Amino acid sequence: MAPPLSRRHLFQAAALAAVTPAISYAATGRAVAAVSEEPSVWTVRPFALEDVKLEQGVFADKRQLMLDHARGYDVNRLLQVFRANAGLATGGAVAPGGWEGLDGEANGNLRGHYTGHFLTMLSQAYAGTGEQVFVDKIRTMVEALTEVREALRRDPVVLNSPGKFGTSAENVRGSYQYVDLPAGVLGGTSAITLSAWVRPTHDANWTRIFDFGDNTTRYLYLAARNANGVPRFAITTSGPGGEQGLDGTAALPLNQWSHLAVTIAGGTGTLYVNGTAVARNTSMSLTPAALGTLANNWLGRSNYSGDPVFAGAYDEFDVWSRALTAGEITQLQTARAADASTGRGDLASYAFDETTGGTFADASGRGLTATLRRTWGGPSHPGFLAAYPETQFIDLESRTSPDYTKVWAPYYTAHKILRGLLDAHSATDDARALDLASGLCDWMYSRLSKLPDATLQRMWGIFSSGEFGGIVEAIVDLHALTGKAEHLALARLFDLDKLIDACAANTDILDGLHANQHIPIFTGLVRLYDATGEERYLTAAKNFWGMVVPGRMYGIGGTSTAEFWKASGVIAGTISTTTAETCCAYNLLKLSRMLFFHEQSPKYMDYYERALYNQVLGSKQDRSDAEKPLVTYFIGLTPGHVRDYTPKQGTTCCEGTGMESATKYQDSVYFKKADGTALYVNLYSPSTLTWAEKGVTVTQTTAYPAEQGTTLRIQGSAAFALRLRVPSWASAGFRVTVNGRAVSGTPTPGSYFTVSRTWRSGDTVRVAIPFRLRVEKALDDPSLQTLFYGPVNLVARNPATEYLPFGLYRNAGLSGDLLPTLTPVAGKPLHYTLDGTEFAPFSEGTEDPTHAYFRRSEPRVVLGTVDSGVANPAKADGTTLLDEIWAAAPFAGKGALVSRVRSVVDTWVSAGLLARADGDKVVSTAGKASFAA
């Protein structure tokens, strides 16, 4: 009897049965979806990036800096790691380094992810500007990735480069290629010479020029570099402790041809470098005869699995069954063996003159044809595309603990590549990009669909190694294009049931979880809801959002400390130099946006404004660089923190998402109701919307947030409701006029104000959004506060490394606005000073030491700048007398304020918290003082 299907496999079976591929093929061969790319369940829908033009302003300025990077960066550098992995020529391109090279953190085990980010950035840049340069770069990358996938599907083939005497065979670093020689190549001889011309391109220790052995006990090798960086020859039948060796005296130069030869005869071994004997051992009793026939006979690969593969080129490799004389070895410096008195090696001789194929002819007469191989085995499986072998994916399937030096989030990397390909296809309509994306998902399905549910749950629960980013979202997006049932089934194979079920039940289990590993899971769940209608997915995503905002959110909109979450409500207690990983804000913005498509709760767009205008803008340094995007990884919120715009070793996840953020600033300025009856204005940003279906253009003119309002002008005629977001912080004075006439109604903070009419060309809407200076308190320490003026987080610029103390009530206005306590800086909008310290918008990407949080200090009762001389008392919970007085703002006039002061004083006196005499002084001070409106 067959075992019952698990719940997951029942889902798979249902998906495969219910979803019929609906694909037709255009004349170009491109798969054309028979379904809409936008889900029918979205009650509100976005506009395409090309429909919204950014006009001059802070967003256009920041984007321009990133566009300069996109234009200037050589994409062949990104492609280097892909081409190398496939054994293709890299054209001398230098890998980006950091996470995108073999020398960075964890030996580049995440390489390839950055290429996906870059494709997305280029696609968005093209959509936003229409510049051909971005299309050209996309096509270069897609063409190269197509060649890479094809190369990975076949056995490796020789890569030629100029040799010492003709052509040579090159092994590109990162290709994991080596030359496999037949057994018996050493011939069991008791005297031998091994000779090779090599051109090393990397200085890794213990790379083998050749290694003949059975294992790590019985072998004979020549390393290009030992632990001291010089060549070493060794032979042993009893492991490392029994090695009889020869060590060189100097390192081999990189990117130059060197000749090495080893001779053994009569108990003497000699090592020659470029014709000079550099080492001699007269006690070398071991010879190939003692080794017998060996299993592994390799050029470029070691019998020690942890040793790197040789990177560089081979010209000639010869083996003789005698010890050549010093004079004969001298001849080999200027002539091929075939042209020297030595003749070709009688045991083996390879000239590496082949220009095609993957084998090398043996000219010794013994017919020992050599074969080019990869250390990770045969060709990859169909559809596979990556900048490293399939081995990381294979290892993950049996892994039970994290170790990113072995496995670093392979499905996360696959997600970035997949997303980049989908965006490239969307931007350029290149059929190859869609084919690569579809093939990659076919490959993933072929692997994951064969694994038991328990294995999948274990995999996705492993920190870092099991991280898969927003792959589910991307797969569902692909499914909308291909209609393939396997693609929707694949998306559900990433369900992490423990997390989904807990969040669906509104049970908070986030404490201790890696933040950015889990946030993008929920964008995928929303898209799964779109595709399947399963409420569990959408409910989990909504509840999850509420667990992060505001309970785990810093004032700038960021979340996480050292990449992880702590308990909800712990804000002050988690502030460090590694708070607010930038990727987290990027992904929370995506999730907020996606949830808004289903439920038009203004809280999602309030968060969007907060994170976009503060953390995201502030994460980009205010200068351009062709080589670096200059984007933060962490944004430390400790006192005096200086932002690092070149984090870690470069090409990090946050630099990738930072590139994306800076080229899609316009993606959520406007949304449209699905039936076309309403236009949502979510963000006040200078821009021009082309609403083609309505025949309408909306131009928004503003210097927001330097300007406290915006103007929208309509061209064209159409009937629709204009829904203007009233920010939750806009507590008073939000006003709307149309053609100079006030629109009736009472705007409510944290809502949308609707103006419905048939619009005509020339109609002008003016929105006034008065700002107030306000504080937001850390949930776990009310005395630790951050300052906001409207949407703008103001940070103190000061090198001190302790929290700065500031008082703000001393000149507060009747409205409760704290701004009069600060002094504007002439000629610098949104810059103020307080007690000699300058406050500036967090969004400015400078390298100034900043204080996002400060310690609220109101030691004396000061009202209207008049000091009462009375100490400001506090309750046990930290609430001060001044806090309670100003909590009733706004006040209709000074009389109302004085009345409030008298009432609070009487209450505190009655409670024994304030002496009557002191209370009278406070009331008297309020009566004497003057207050700004």
Side-chain angles (χ1 to χ4, degrees):
M1 180 177 178
L5 288 173
S6 68
R7 182 167 71 91
R8 178 182 311 284
H9 289 98
L10 283 170
F11 281 151
Q12 284 181 247
L16 289 167
V19 183
T20 302
I23 301 293
S24 61
Y25 288 88
T28 61
R30 180 173 69 87
V32 180
V35 292
S36 170
E37 293 182 46
E38 290 185 349
S40 60
V41 295
W42 286 1
T43 52
V44 160
R45 298 184 177 183
F47 289 93
L49 289 179
E50 54 264 36
D51 293 336
V52 183
K53 178 186 176 185
L54 280 182
E55 304 293 355
Q56 188 59 46
V58 62
F59 289 112
D61 291 345
K62 288 273 190 178
R63 183 180 70 173
Q64 185 59 49
L65 299 174
M66 195 61 76
L67 293 178
D68 290 343
H69 174 65
R71 295 187 192 99
Y73 197 83
D74 180 6
V75 295
N76 286 297
R77 295 188 61 192
L78 299 168
L79 296 167
Q80 195 272 353
V81 290
F82 283 89
R83 286 168 167 154
N85 184 52
L88 298 174
T90 61
V94 179
W99 290 6
E100 278 294 317
L102 289 168
D103 298 311
E105 191 171 354
N107 299 317
N109 276 349
L110 210 64
R111 60 191 182 278
H113 80 116
Y114 206 70
T115 296
H117 285 299
F118 213 91
L119 275 170
T120 293
M121 175 182 66
L122 292 173
S123 301
Q124 293 173 172
Y126 175 63
T129 68
E131 293 183 28
Q132 184 65 31
V133 62
F134 302 124
V135 173
D136 293 343
K137 286 175 178 280
I138 291 169
R139 287 179 174 157
T140 294
M141 296 175 77
V142 170
E143 180 177 0
L145 293 175
T146 301
E147 293 171 352
V148 164
R149 187 179 69 173
E150 178 60 29
L152 288 171
R153 280 290 298 133
R154 62 175 186 252
D155 288 319
V157 297
V158 63
L159 177 63
N160 286 123
S161 62
K164 174 67 177 177
F165 298 110
T167 61
S168 66
E170 182 164 9
N171 287 339
V172 177
R173 184 163 182 252
S175 68
Y176 305 96
Q177 293 180 175
Y178 66 99
V179 179
D180 188 16
L181 307 182
V185 65
L186 298 180
T189 183
S190 59
I192 196 166
T193 299
L194 301 105
S195 165
W197 277 102
V198 294
R199 178 172 52 82
T201 57
H202 191 255
D203 59 0
N205 291 343
W206 298 117
T207 54
R208 301 295 201 265
I209 293 172
F210 57 76
D211 194 335
F212 306 125
D214 286 332
N215 43 44
T216 58
T217 300
R218 195 176 191 85
Y219 54 75
L220 169 156
Y221 72 74
L222 176 60
R225 295 170 60 91
N226 64 4
N228 295 318
V230 299
R232 173 173 172 78
F233 173 83
I235 183 171
T236 182
T237 57
S238 57
E243 286 186 359
Q244 297 177 5
L246 297 161
D247 292 309
T249 56
L252 297 181
L254 297 182
N255 302 305
Q256 295 181 30
W257 286 103
S258 294
H259 181 260
L260 294 99
V262 175
T263 64
I264 301 175
T268 297
T270 307
L271 171 64
Y272 294 86
V273 177
N274 294 324
T276 299
V278 297
R280 180 169 281 107
N281 184 342
T282 58
S283 301
M284 190 167 283
S285 59
L286 294 175
T287 69
L291 298 178
T293 300
L294 299 170
N296 306 320
N297 301 278
W298 297 327
L299 302 184
R301 181 179 179 180
S302 171
N303 276 286
Y304 286 82
S305 61
D307 289 340
V309 178
F310 177 78
Y314 287 87
D315 194 335
E316 291 201 332
F317 178 72
D318 285 275
V319 185
W320 289 270
S321 60
R322 65 185 179 88
L324 299 187
T325 66
E328 288 175 316
I329 289 174
T330 297
Q331 290 183 47
L332 296 177
Q333 308 310 298
T334 56
R336 290 177 176 268
D339 299 326
S341 63
T342 60
R344 295 184 181 275
D346 61 316
L347 292 180
S349 180
Y350 304 96
F352 300 109
D353 288 332
E354 289 81 359
T355 58
T356 60
T359 60
F360 303 102
D362 170 31
S364 71
R366 299 177 68 204
L368 301 179
T369 301
T371 304
L372 191 63
R373 302 195 190 281
R374 298 184 178 103
T375 61
W376 49 274
S380 65
H381 292 91
F384 175 73
L385 177 63
Y388 46 70
E390 289 181 88
T391 48
Q392 279 205 55
F393 297 91
I394 296 168
D395 185 311
L396 179 61
E397 292 169 9
S398 59
R399 180 162 292 279
T400 58
S401 60
D403 182 351
Y404 80 143
T405 66
K406 303 257 187 333
V407 179
W408 192 4
Y411 285 96
Y412 174 94
T413 305
H415 161 238
K416 298 306 176 187
I417 296 169
L418 174 62
R419 180 78 269 165
L421 290 169
L422 289 173
D423 291 336
H425 172 257
S426 176
T428 66
D429 203 34
D430 191 326
R432 297 172 302 176
L434 183 59
D435 182 61
L436 288 169
S438 184
L440 181 57
C441 287
D442 291 343
W443 171 81
M444 284 190 278
Y445 182 74
S446 72
R447 290 205 71 88
L448 297 178
S449 62
K450 295 177 174 61
L451 298 177
D453 183 71
T455 299
L456 294 170
Q457 295 298 316
R458 172 179 48 74
M459 286 165 57
W460 308 143
I462 300 175
F463 160 59
S464 189
S465 297
E467 183 175 356
F468 54 76
I471 199 166
V472 174
E473 173 196 353
I475 294 169
V476 177
D477 287 351
L478 174 68
H479 172 257
L481 293 170
T482 67
K484 290 181 69 172
E486 292 84 358
H487 291 163
L488 183 57
L490 170 64
R492 302 187 82 152
L493 292 175
F494 289 91
D495 279 6
L496 181 55
D497 289 330
K498 178 181 178 181
L499 178 69
I500 298 171
D501 292 342
C503 290
N506 209 19
T507 301
D508 189 334
I509 62 168
L510 303 188
D511 188 1
L513 292 185
H514 182 246
N516 198 53
Q517 181 167 348
H518 294 86
I519 298 170
I521 289 176
F522 291 90
T523 61
L525 296 184
V526 176
R527 292 294 285 119
L528 271 176
Y529 166 78
D530 297 339
T532 67
E534 187 175 335
E535 290 287 345
R536 164 178 171 260
Y537 291 136
L538 184 60
T539 300
K542 289 180 179 179
N543 291 341
F544 166 80
W545 191 93
M547 294 172 191
V548 179
V549 181
R552 293 179 171 90
M553 180 193 75
Y554 302 105
I556 58 172
T559 187
S560 79
T561 183
E563 301 193 9
F564 287 81
W565 281 310
K566 302 298 183 183
S568 181
V570 181
I571 301 299
T574 61
I575 288 176
S576 72
T577 58
T578 57
T579 37
E581 184 187 355
T582 307
C583 275
C584 294
Y586 165 89
N587 280 310
L588 275 175
L589 286 175
K590 288 190 74 172
L591 178 59
S592 301
R593 183 176 190 263
M594 200 166 289
L595 289 173
F596 192 88
F597 296 154
H598 296 84
E599 177 186 22
Q600 286 72 64
S601 174
K603 67 182 181 182
Y604 296 128
M605 286 298 112
D606 268 347
Y607 173 79
Y608 205 97
E609 179 184 66
R610 174 191 295 269
L612 183 66
Y613 276 85
N614 294 292
Q615 173 155 3
V616 171
L617 278 179
S619 68
K620 171 71 184 87
Q621 190 172 18
D622 291 334
R623 68 182 182 90
S624 63
D625 190 309
E627 292 301 306
K628 301 179 183 67
L630 300 178
V631 175
T632 59
Y633 190 102
F634 297 115
I635 293 185
L637 300 178
T638 50
H641 180 78
V642 176
R643 292 175 211 167
D644 179 5
Y645 298 102
T646 54
K648 296 181 177 281
Q649 295 170 311
T651 59
T652 63
C653 54
C654 292
E655 289 168 286
T657 54
M659 293 189 300
E660 294 184 34
S661 291
T663 48
K664 63 167 186 174
Y665 288 134
Q666 73 270 41
D667 76 340
S668 297
V669 177
Y670 309 99
F671 293 151
K672 56 189 173 184
K673 197 170 180 182
D675 61 6
T677 60
L679 176 68
Y680 287 79
V681 181
N682 304 308
L683 300 173
Y684 300 110
S685 173
S687 54
T688 299
L689 166 68
T690 300
W691 193 359
E693 301 95 318
K694 288 287 188 181
V696 164
T697 299
V698 179
T699 301
Q700 184 176 177
T701 305
T702 181
Y704 188 95
E707 176 185 350
Q708 298 182 24
T710 191
T711 300
L712 298 108
R713 291 183 175 85
I714 313 295
Q715 291 297 320
S717 179
F720 58 89
L722 185 66
R723 295 185 175 166
L724 304 162
R725 187 175 65 87
V726 185
S728 58
W729 49 261
S731 57
F734 188 98
R735 297 183 305 279
V736 180
T737 63
V738 176
N739 299 329
R741 295 185 178 181
V743 178
S744 61
T746 304
T748 302
S751 70
Y752 280 80
F753 184 78
T754 301
V755 182
S756 297
R757 59 184 280 149
T758 297
W759 300 92
R760 309 293 182 193
S761 287
D763 281 349
T764 301
V765 179
R766 174 64 190 165
V767 185
I769 318 170
F771 293 1
R772 288 178 56 189
L773 189 72
R774 68 188 191 282
V775 297
E776 291 187 1
K777 303 174 181 179
L779 299 177
D780 52 333
D781 183 354
S783 73
L784 199 65
Q785 302 179 358
T786 187
L787 201 60
F788 277 85
Y789 187 47
V792 179
N793 184 223
L794 295 176
V795 295
R797 290 180 175 170
N798 191 300
T801 55
E802 301 292 332
Y803 287 114
L804 299 174
F806 290 111
L808 298 169
Y809 287 137
R810 72 189 73 166
N811 197 26
L814 293 172
S815 65
D817 191 350
L818 303 172
L819 186 64
T821 299
L822 276 62
T823 302
V825 177
K828 297 175 72 175
L830 299 174
H831 284 241
Y832 303 89
T833 60
L834 177 62
D835 298 340
T837 293
E838 183 176 9
F839 280 79
F842 186 96
S843 60
E844 293 183 358
T846 72
E847 292 179 297
D848 293 298
T850 60
H851 293 245
Y853 284 86
F854 62 91
R855 188 69 67 186
R856 188 67 175 271
S857 176
E858 307 280 356
R860 299 164 70 85
V861 177
V862 181
L863 294 165
T865 71
V866 179
D867 189 341
S868 69
V870 175
N872 185 25
K875 294 180 178 179
D877 65 359
T879 301
T880 69
L881 178 73
L882 285 172
D883 288 336
E884 198 154 311
I885 289 170
W886 289 105
F891 299 106
K894 179 178 175 180
L897 172 58
V898 173
S899 177
R900 172 68 175 181
V901 171
R902 183 177 294 110
S903 172
V904 172
V905 162
D906 288 345
T907 300
W908 283 56
V909 169
S910 297
L913 299 172
L914 181 68
R916 170 52 66 186
D918 287 340
D920 291 343
K921 289 180 183 178
V922 171
V923 174
S924 174
T925 298
K928 296 175 184 176
S930 59
F931 299 90

